[in-house]
Amino acid sequence: MPTAVREMARTVHPELAGAALAALLRHGSGPLGPAGRTVRRLLAAGAPVPEGVHRELLGALYGCGREAVSDAGRLLFERPRDPLLRALMTGDDMAALIARARPVELWLHVGHRTRTVLRPGELTVSHRRYLGGDPVSAESVFVCAVHTAAVAAVTGRPVEVALLAADGAVLAPDAPWRPGPAPAVRGWRLRWDDRVGPHGPARPSAAGASATGLPGAARELIAGEPAADWRLSAVAAALGVAPRTLQRSFTRAGTTFQAELAAVRLDVAGHLVRRTRLPLAEIAAAAGFTDHPHLTRRFREHHGCGPAEFRRRGAGGTE
């Protein structure tokens, strides 16, 4: 499928596009350009915003400068209507935020994904392709602004932002906005004061494994790359535990590694079926299923209908 057609088949969450449009209206000079007018019309009609159009909108917002993009991130969380977005702000700490962000990410945008590393007082993020091409700097800076706003809301602390190039090098603060060629933004590092009052450093924030338990941490890991050839041993190694320890954690939770692997892949496929118009064979491959018939069989077992009917139901259609 040609890239332009694929981007029209994928859509972004309307609150993402709405926050970007609101910031553009606030910071832009002169009338809205074609992308802004298109997004405003689509949102007013309750129609989905294709990812390609959203990218054009972010390009216009990016041209307004760093503060405009940062404002879009803040606007997203001012009065979110989607309960998934509201739930992001109810976590007690950063580990809980990271655990909740994984399923929300796919609901917001399916062209790209993020990989996060959480340490006390620091979150490092890489922004990567998923079903689309490599993100452009305007897209990465926007997602960075969203992350910054979320971290500030959860920690209650000012957040220091460093944008990163593909090799992990820190970019000069104004580098992405300088005229002429500049390294593409491929990630960011967020830092905040992790101390608590006069009593010195807080206890280090736990990784996702302690926030959600080992089974939850395993699910989050798999959801990041559902089509990978996951084995129990590989997941255990990534989580820093012995395979037997991970297996026992699944047993105590009343499940198995294979059952959780299948459930995550089915959940990812369900999001893609509902949120995109991509061919079902392509969704099957992206979610880790052998082929389209395999996806259809699992959908019927779990949902009582095939993915095509599941998609029609999501769009309000009937047989």
Coordinates of all heavy atoms in Angstrom, one line a residue, residues 149-235:
A149 N 4.4 17.2 29.8 CA 3.3 17.7 30.5 C 2.8 16.6 31.5 O 2.3 16.9 32.6 CB 2.2 18.1 29.5
A150 N 2.8 15.3 31.0 CA 2.3 14.2 31.8 C 3.2 14.0 33.0 O 2.8 13.8 34.2 CB 2.3 12.9 31.0
V151 N 4.6 14.1 32.8 CA 5.5 13.9 33.9 C 5.4 15.1 34.9 O 5.4 14.8 36.2 CB 7.0 13.9 33.4 CG1 8.0 13.9 34.5 CG2 7.2 12.6 32.6
A152 N 5.2 16.3 34.5 CA 5.0 17.4 35.4 C 3.8 17.3 36.2 O 3.8 17.6 37.4 CB 5.0 18.7 34.6
A153 N 2.7 16.8 35.6 CA 1.5 16.6 36.3 C 1.6 15.5 37.4 O 1.0 15.7 38.5 CB 0.3 16.3 35.3
V154 N 2.3 14.4 37.1 CA 2.4 13.3 38.0 C 3.4 13.6 39.2 O 3.1 13.3 40.3 CB 2.7 12.0 37.3 CG1 3.1 10.9 38.3 CG2 1.6 11.6 36.4
T155 N 4.5 14.2 38.8 CA 5.5 14.5 39.8 C 5.3 15.8 40.6 O 5.8 16.0 41.7 CB 6.9 14.5 39.2 OG1 7.0 15.7 38.3 CG2 7.2 13.3 38.4
G156 N 4.6 16.7 40.0 CA 4.4 18.0 40.6 C 5.7 18.9 40.6 O 5.8 19.8 41.4
R157 N 6.6 18.5 39.7 CA 7.9 19.2 39.7 C 8.2 19.8 38.3 O 7.7 19.2 37.3 CB 9.1 18.2 40.1 CG 8.9 17.5 41.4 CD 9.0 18.5 42.6 NE 8.8 17.8 43.8 CZ 9.7 17.4 44.6 NH1 11.0 17.4 44.2 NH2 9.4 16.8 45.8
P158 N 9.0 20.8 38.2 CA 9.5 21.3 36.9 C 10.3 20.2 36.3 O 11.0 19.4 36.9 CB 10.3 22.5 37.3 CG 9.9 22.9 38.6 CD 9.5 21.7 39.3
V159 N 10.2 20.1 34.9 CA 10.9 19.1 34.2 C 11.9 19.7 33.3 O 11.6 20.6 32.5 CB 9.8 18.2 33.4 CG1 10.6 17.1 32.6 CG2 8.8 17.6 34.3
E160 N 13.1 19.2 33.3 CA 14.2 19.6 32.4 C 14.2 18.7 31.2 O 14.2 17.5 31.3 CB 15.5 19.5 33.1 CG 16.7 19.8 32.3 CD 18.0 19.4 33.0 OE1 18.2 19.9 34.1 OE2 18.8 18.7 32.4
V161 N 14.2 19.3 30.0 CA 14.0 18.6 28.8 C 15.3 18.6 27.9 O 15.9 19.7 27.7 CB 12.9 19.1 27.9 CG1 12.7 18.3 26.6 CG2 11.6 19.1 28.7
A162 N 15.8 17.5 27.5 CA 16.9 17.4 26.5 C 16.5 16.6 25.4 O 16.1 15.4 25.5 CB 18.1 16.8 27.2
L163 N 16.5 17.2 24.2 CA 16.2 16.4 22.9 C 17.4 15.6 22.5 O 18.5 16.1 22.6 CB 15.7 17.4 21.9 CG 14.4 18.2 22.2 CD1 14.1 19.2 21.1 CD2 13.2 17.2 22.4
L164 N 17.2 14.4 21.9 CA 18.3 13.5 21.6 C 18.2 13.2 20.1 O 17.2 13.1 19.5 CB 18.1 12.2 22.3 CG 18.0 12.3 23.9 CD1 17.8 11.0 24.5 CD2 19.3 13.0 24.4
A165 N 19.4 13.1 19.5 CA 19.6 12.7 18.1 C 19.5 11.2 18.0 O 19.4 10.5 19.0 CB 20.9 13.2 17.5
A166 N 19.6 10.6 16.8 CA 19.5 9.2 16.6 C 20.5 8.4 17.4 O 20.3 7.3 17.8 CB 19.5 8.8 15.1
D167 N 21.7 9.0 17.5 CA 22.8 8.3 18.2 C 22.8 8.6 19.7 O 23.7 8.2 20.4 CB 24.2 8.8 17.6 CG 24.4 10.3 17.8 OD1 23.5 11.0 18.3 OD2 25.5 10.7 17.3
G168 N 21.8 9.2 20.2 CA 21.7 9.5 21.6 C 22.3 10.8 22.1 O 22.3 11.1 23.2
A169 N 23.0 11.5 21.1 CA 23.7 12.7 21.5 C 22.6 13.8 21.9 O 21.5 13.9 21.2 CB 24.5 13.2 20.4
V170 N 22.9 14.6 22.8 CA 22.0 15.7 23.3 C 22.1 16.8 22.3 O 23.2 17.3 22.0 CB 22.4 16.2 24.7 CG1 21.5 17.4 25.1 CG2 22.2 15.0 25.7
L171 N 21.0 17.3 21.8 CA 21.0 18.4 20.8 C 21.0 19.7 21.6 O 20.4 19.8 22.7 CB 19.7 18.3 20.0 CG 19.6 17.1 19.1 CD1 18.3 17.1 18.4 CD2 20.7 17.0 18.1
A172 N 21.6 20.7 21.0 CA 21.5 22.1 21.6 C 20.0 22.5 21.7 O 19.2 22.1 20.9 CB 22.2 23.1 20.8
P173 N 19.6 23.2 22.8 CA 18.2 23.5 23.0 C 17.5 24.1 21.8 O 16.3 23.8 21.5 CB 18.2 24.5 24.2 CG 19.5 24.1 24.9 CD 20.4 23.7 23.9
D174 N 18.2 25.0 21.0 CA 17.6 25.6 19.9 C 17.9 24.9 18.5 O 17.4 25.4 17.5 CB 18.0 27.1 19.8 CG 19.5 27.2 19.5 OD1 20.3 26.2 19.8 OD2 19.9 28.3 19.1
A175 N 18.6 23.8 18.6 CA 19.0 23.1 17.3 C 17.9 22.8 16.4 O 17.9 23.0 15.2 CB 19.9 21.9 17.7
P176 N 16.8 22.2 16.9 CA 15.7 21.8 16.0 C 15.0 22.9 15.3 O 14.4 22.8 14.3 CB 14.7 21.1 16.9 CG 15.5 20.6 18.1 CD 16.5 21.7 18.3
W177 N 15.2 24.2 15.9 CA 14.5 25.3 15.3 C 15.5 26.2 14.5 O 15.0 27.2 14.0 CB 13.8 26.1 16.4 CG 12.6 25.4 16.9 CD1 11.3 25.5 16.4 CD2 12.5 24.5 18.0 NE1 10.5 24.7 17.1 CE2 11.2 24.1 18.1 CE3 13.5 23.9 18.9 CZ2 10.8 23.2 19.0 CZ3 13.0 23.0 19.8 CH2 11.7 22.6 19.9
R178 N 16.7 25.9 14.4 CA 17.7 26.7 13.7 C 17.4 26.6 12.2 O 17.0 25.5 11.7 CB 19.1 26.3 13.9 CG 19.6 26.6 15.3 CD 21.0 26.0 15.5 NE 21.5 26.2 16.8 CZ 22.6 25.6 17.3 NH1 23.2 24.7 16.5 NH2 23.0 25.8 18.5
P179 N 17.6 27.6 11.4 CA 17.5 27.5 9.9 C 18.5 26.5 9.4 O 19.6 26.4 10.0 CB 17.7 28.9 9.4 CG 17.5 29.8 10.6 CD 17.9 29.0 11.8
G180 N 18.2 25.8 8.3 CA 19.1 24.9 7.7 C 19.1 23.5 8.2 O 18.2 23.2 9.1
P181 N 19.9 22.6 7.8 CA 19.8 21.2 8.2 C 20.1 21.1 9.7 O 21.0 21.8 10.2 CB 20.9 20.6 7.3 CG 21.3 21.5 6.2 CD 20.9 22.9 6.8
A182 N 19.4 20.2 10.3 CA 19.6 19.9 11.7 C 19.4 18.5 12.0 O 18.6 17.8 11.2 CB 18.7 20.8 12.6
P183 N 20.1 17.9 12.9 CA 19.9 16.4 13.2 C 18.4 16.2 13.6 O 17.8 17.0 14.3 CB 20.8 16.1 14.4 CG 21.8 17.2 14.4 CD 21.1 18.4 13.8
A184 N 17.9 15.1 13.1 CA 16.5 14.8 13.4 C 16.4 14.4 14.9 O 17.3 13.8 15.5 CB 16.0 13.6 12.6
V185 N 15.3 14.8 15.5 CA 15.0 14.5 16.9 C 14.5 13.1 16.9 O 13.5 12.7 16.3 CB 14.0 15.4 17.5 CG1 13.6 15.0 18.9 CG2 14.5 16.9 17.5
R186 N 15.1 12.2 17.7 CA 14.7 10.8 17.7 C 14.4 10.3 19.1 O 14.1 9.1 19.4 CB 15.8 9.9 17.1 CG 15.9 10.0 15.6 CD 14.7 9.3 15.0 NE 14.7 9.3 13.5 CZ 14.1 10.2 12.8 NH1 13.4 11.2 13.4 NH2 14.2 10.2 11.5
G187 N 14.5 11.2 20.1 CA 14.2 10.9 21.5 C 14.4 12.1 22.4 O 14.6 13.2 21.9
W188 N 14.2 11.8 23.7 CA 14.4 12.9 24.6 C 14.6 12.3 26.0 O 14.4 11.2 26.3 CB 13.1 13.8 24.7 CG 11.8 13.0 24.7 CD1 11.1 12.7 25.8 CD2 11.1 12.6 23.6 NE1 10.0 12.0 25.4 CE2 9.9 11.9 24.0 CE3 11.3 12.7 22.2 CZ2 9.0 11.4 23.2 CZ3 10.4 12.1 21.3 CH2 9.2 11.5 21.8
R189 N 15.2 13.2 26.9 CA 15.5 12.8 28.2 C 14.8 13.8 29.1 O 15.1 15.0 29.0 CB 17.0 12.7 28.5 CG 17.3 12.2 29.9 CD 18.8 12.1 30.1 NE 19.4 13.4 30.1 CZ 20.5 13.7 29.4 NH1 21.1 12.8 28.6 NH2 21.0 15.0 29.4
L190 N 14.0 13.4 30.1 CA 13.3 14.3 31.0 C 13.9 14.0 32.4 O 14.0 12.9 32.8 CB 11.8 14.0 31.0 CG 11.1 14.0 29.6 CD1 9.6 13.7 29.8 CD2 11.3 15.3 28.9
R191 N 14.2 15.1 33.1 CA 14.7 15.0 34.4 C 13.9 15.9 35.4 O 13.5 17.0 34.9 CB 16.2 15.4 34.5 CG 17.1 14.3 33.9 CD 18.6 14.7 33.9 NE 19.4 13.7 33.4 CZ 20.7 13.8 33.1 NH1 21.2 15.0 33.1 NH2 21.4 12.8 32.7
W192 N 13.8 15.5 36.6 CA 13.1 16.3 37.6 C 13.7 16.0 39.0 O 14.4 15.0 39.1 CB 11.6 16.0 37.6 CG 11.3 14.5 37.9 CD1 11.0 13.9 39.1 CD2 11.3 13.5 36.9 NE1 10.8 12.6 38.9 CE2 11.0 12.3 37.6 CE3 11.5 13.4 35.5 CZ2 10.9 11.0 37.0 CZ3 11.5 12.2 34.9 CH2 11.1 11.0 35.6
D193 N 13.4 16.9 39.9 CA 14.0 16.7 41.3 C 13.2 15.6 41.9 O 12.0 15.7 42.2 CB 13.8 18.1 42.0 CG 14.5 18.0 43.4 OD1 14.9 16.9 43.8 OD2 14.5 19.1 44.0
D194 N 13.9 14.5 42.3 CA 13.3 13.4 42.8 C 13.4 13.3 44.4 O 13.1 12.3 45.0 CB 13.9 12.1 42.3 CG 13.0 10.9 42.3 OD1 11.8 11.1 42.1 OD2 13.4 9.8 42.6
R195 N 13.8 14.4 45.0 CA 14.0 14.5 46.4 C 12.6 14.8 47.0 O 11.8 15.5 46.4 CB 15.0 15.5 46.8 CG 16.4 15.1 46.4 CD 17.4 16.3 46.7 NE 17.0 17.5 45.8 CZ 17.7 18.6 45.9 NH1 18.7 18.7 46.8 NH2 17.3 19.6 45.2
V196 N 12.5 14.4 48.3 CA 11.2 14.7 49.0 C 11.5 15.5 50.3 O 12.2 15.0 51.2 CB 10.5 13.4 49.5 CG1 9.3 13.7 50.3 CG2 10.2 12.5 48.2
G197 N 11.1 16.8 50.3 CA 11.3 17.7 51.4 C 12.7 17.7 51.9 O 13.7 17.6 51.2
P198 N 12.9 17.9 53.2 CA 14.2 18.1 53.8 C 14.9 16.8 54.1 O 16.0 16.8 54.7 CB 13.9 18.9 55.1 CG 12.6 18.4 55.5 CD 11.8 18.1 54.2
H199 N 14.3 15.7 53.8 CA 14.8 14.4 54.2 C 15.6 13.7 53.2 O 15.9 12.5 53.2 CB 13.6 13.4 54.6 CG 12.7 14.0 55.6 ND1 13.2 14.3 56.9 CD2 11.4 14.5 55.6 CE1 12.1 14.9 57.6 NE2 11.1 15.0 56.8
G200 N 16.1 14.4 52.2 CA 17.0 13.9 51.2 C 16.2 13.2 50.1 O 15.0 13.3 49.9
P201 N 17.0 12.3 49.3 CA 16.4 11.7 48.1 C 15.2 10.8 48.5 O 15.2 10.1 49.5 CB 17.5 10.9 47.6 CG 18.8 11.5 48.1 CD 18.4 12.0 49.5
A202 N 14.2 10.8 47.6 CA 13.1 9.8 47.8 C 13.7 8.4 47.4 O 14.7 8.2 46.8 CB 12.0 10.2 46.8
R203 N 12.9 7.4 47.8 CA 13.2 6.1 47.4 C 13.1 6.0 45.9 O 12.2 6.6 45.3 CB 12.3 5.1 48.1 CG 12.5 5.0 49.6 CD 11.5 4.0 50.2 NE 11.7 2.7 49.6 CZ 10.9 1.6 49.8 NH1 9.9 1.7 50.5 NH2 11.3 0.4 49.3
P204 N 14.0 5.3 45.2 CA 14.0 5.2 43.8 C 12.6 4.7 43.3 O 12.1 3.8 43.9 CB 15.1 4.3 43.4 CG 16.1 4.4 44.6 CD 15.2 4.6 45.8
S205 N 12.1 5.4 42.3 CA 10.9 4.9 41.7 C 11.1 3.5 41.2 O 12.1 3.2 40.5 CB 10.4 5.8 40.5 OG 10.1 7.0 41.0
A206 N 10.2 2.6 41.4 CA 10.3 1.2 41.0 C 10.1 1.1 39.5 O 9.5 2.0 38.9 CB 9.3 0.3 41.7
A207 N 10.7 0.1 38.9 CA 10.4 -0.1 37.5 C 9.0 -0.7 37.3 O 8.4 -1.0 38.3 CB 11.4 -1.1 36.9
G208 N 8.6 -0.8 36.1 CA 7.2 -1.3 35.9 C 7.0 -2.7 36.5 O 5.8 -3.0 36.8
A209 N 8.0 -3.5 36.7 CA 7.8 -4.8 37.3 C 7.2 -4.7 38.7 O 6.4 -5.5 39.0 CB 9.1 -5.6 37.3
S210 N 7.6 -3.8 39.5 CA 7.1 -3.7 40.8 C 5.8 -2.9 40.9 O 5.0 -3.1 41.8 CB 8.1 -3.0 41.8 OG 8.4 -1.7 41.3
A211 N 5.6 -2.1 39.9 CA 4.3 -1.3 39.9 C 3.1 -2.2 39.4 O 2.0 -2.0 39.9 CB 4.4 -0.1 38.9
T212 N 3.4 -3.1 38.6 CA 2.3 -3.9 38.0 C 2.5 -5.4 38.2 O 1.7 -6.2 37.8 CB 2.2 -3.7 36.5 OG1 3.4 -4.1 35.9 CG2 2.0 -2.2 36.2
G213 N 3.6 -5.8 38.9 CA 3.9 -7.2 39.0 C 4.6 -7.7 37.8 O 4.5 -7.1 36.7
L214 N 5.3 -8.8 37.9 CA 6.0 -9.3 36.8 C 5.1 -9.6 35.6 O 5.5 -9.3 34.4 CB 6.8 -10.6 37.2 CG 8.1 -10.3 37.9 CD1 8.8 -11.6 38.4 CD2 9.1 -9.6 37.0
P215 N 3.9 -10.3 35.8 CA 3.1 -10.5 34.6 C 2.7 -9.2 33.9 O 2.7 -9.1 32.6 CB 1.8 -11.2 35.2 CG 2.4 -11.8 36.4 CD 3.4 -10.9 37.0
G216 N 2.4 -8.1 34.6 CA 2.1 -6.8 34.0 C 3.3 -6.3 33.3 O 3.1 -5.7 32.2
A217 N 4.5 -6.4 33.9 CA 5.7 -5.8 33.2 C 5.9 -6.6 31.9 O 6.4 -6.0 30.9 CB 6.9 -5.9 34.1
A218 N 5.7 -7.9 31.9 CA 5.9 -8.7 30.7 C 4.9 -8.3 29.7 O 5.3 -8.2 28.5 CB 5.7 -10.2 31.1
R219 N 3.7 -8.1 30.0 CA 2.7 -7.6 29.0 C 3.1 -6.3 28.4 O 2.9 -6.1 27.2 CB 1.3 -7.5 29.7 CG 0.6 -8.9 30.0 CD -0.8 -8.7 30.4 NE -0.9 -8.0 31.7 CZ -1.0 -8.7 32.8 NH1 -1.0 -10.0 32.9 NH2 -1.2 -8.0 34.0
E220 N 3.5 -5.4 29.2 CA 4.0 -4.1 28.7 C 5.1 -4.2 27.7 O 5.2 -3.6 26.7 CB 4.3 -3.2 29.8 CG 3.2 -2.8 30.7 CD 3.6 -2.3 32.1 OE1 4.8 -1.9 32.3 OE2 2.8 -2.4 33.0
L221 N 6.1 -5.1 28.1 CA 7.2 -5.3 27.2 C 6.8 -5.9 25.8 O 7.2 -5.4 24.8 CB 8.2 -6.3 27.9 CG 9.5 -6.6 27.1 CD1 10.3 -5.4 27.0 CD2 10.2 -7.7 27.8
I222 N 5.9 -6.9 25.9 CA 5.4 -7.5 24.6 C 4.6 -6.5 23.8 O 4.7 -6.5 22.6 CB 4.6 -8.8 25.0 CG1 5.4 -9.8 25.6 CG2 3.9 -9.3 23.7 CD1 4.6 -10.9 26.3
A223 N 3.8 -5.7 24.5 CA 3.0 -4.7 23.7 C 3.8 -3.7 23.0 O 3.4 -3.2 22.0 CB 2.1 -4.0 24.7
G224 N 5.1 -3.5 23.4 CA 5.9 -2.6 22.7 C 6.4 -3.1 21.3 O 6.5 -2.4 20.4
E225 N 6.5 -4.5 21.2 CA 6.8 -5.1 19.9 C 6.1 -6.4 19.8 O 6.7 -7.5 19.9 CB 8.4 -5.3 19.9 CG 9.2 -4.1 19.9 CD 10.7 -4.4 19.7 OE1 11.1 -4.9 18.6 OE2 11.4 -4.1 20.7
P226 N 4.8 -6.4 19.6 CA 4.0 -7.6 19.6 C 4.3 -8.6 18.5 O 4.1 -9.8 18.7 CB 2.5 -7.1 19.4 CG 2.7 -5.7 18.7 CD 4.0 -5.2 19.3
A227 N 4.9 -8.2 17.4 CA 5.3 -9.1 16.4 C 6.6 -9.8 16.6 O 7.0 -10.7 15.8 CB 5.3 -8.4 15.0
A228 N 7.3 -9.4 17.6 CA 8.6 -10.1 17.9 C 8.4 -11.6 18.2 O 7.3 -12.0 18.7 CB 9.4 -9.4 19.0
D229 N 9.5 -12.3 18.0 CA 9.4 -13.8 18.3 C 9.7 -14.0 19.8 O 10.8 -14.4 20.2 CB 10.4 -14.5 17.5 CG 10.3 -16.0 17.7 OD1 9.3 -16.5 18.1 OD2 11.3 -16.7 17.3
W230 N 8.7 -13.7 20.7 CA 8.9 -13.7 22.1 C 9.0 -15.1 22.6 O 8.2 -16.0 22.3 CB 7.8 -12.9 22.8 CG 7.8 -11.5 22.6 CD1 6.9 -10.7 21.9 CD2 8.8 -10.5 23.2 NE1 7.3 -9.4 21.9 CE2 8.4 -9.2 22.7 CE3 9.9 -10.7 24.0 CZ2 9.2 -8.1 23.1 CZ3 10.6 -9.6 24.3 CH2 10.2 -8.3 23.9
R231 N 9.9 -15.3 23.5 CA 10.0 -16.5 24.3 C 10.1 -16.2 25.8 O 10.5 -15.1 26.1 CB 11.3 -17.3 23.9 CG 11.3 -17.8 22.5 CD 10.4 -19.0 22.3 NE 10.5 -19.6 21.0 CZ 9.9 -19.2 19.9 NH1 9.0 -18.2 20.0 NH2 10.0 -19.8 18.8
L232 N 9.7 -17.1 26.7 CA 9.7 -16.8 28.1 C 11.1 -16.4 28.5 O 11.2 -15.4 29.3 CB 9.2 -18.0 28.9 CG 9.3 -17.9 30.4 CD1 8.2 -17.0 30.9 CD2 9.1 -19.3 31.1
S233 N 12.1 -17.0 28.0 CA 13.5 -16.7 28.4 C 13.9 -15.3 28.0 O 14.6 -14.6 28.8 CB 14.4 -17.8 27.9 OG 14.4 -17.8 26.4
A234 N 13.5 -14.9 26.8 CA 13.8 -13.6 26.4 C 13.1 -12.5 27.2 O 13.7 -11.5 27.6 CB 13.5 -13.4 24.9
V235 N 11.9 -12.7 27.5 CA 11.1 -11.7 28.4 C 11.8 -11.7 29.8 O 12.0 -10.6 30.3 CB 9.6 -12.1 28.4 CG1 8.9 -11.2 29.4 CG2 9.0 -12.0 27.0

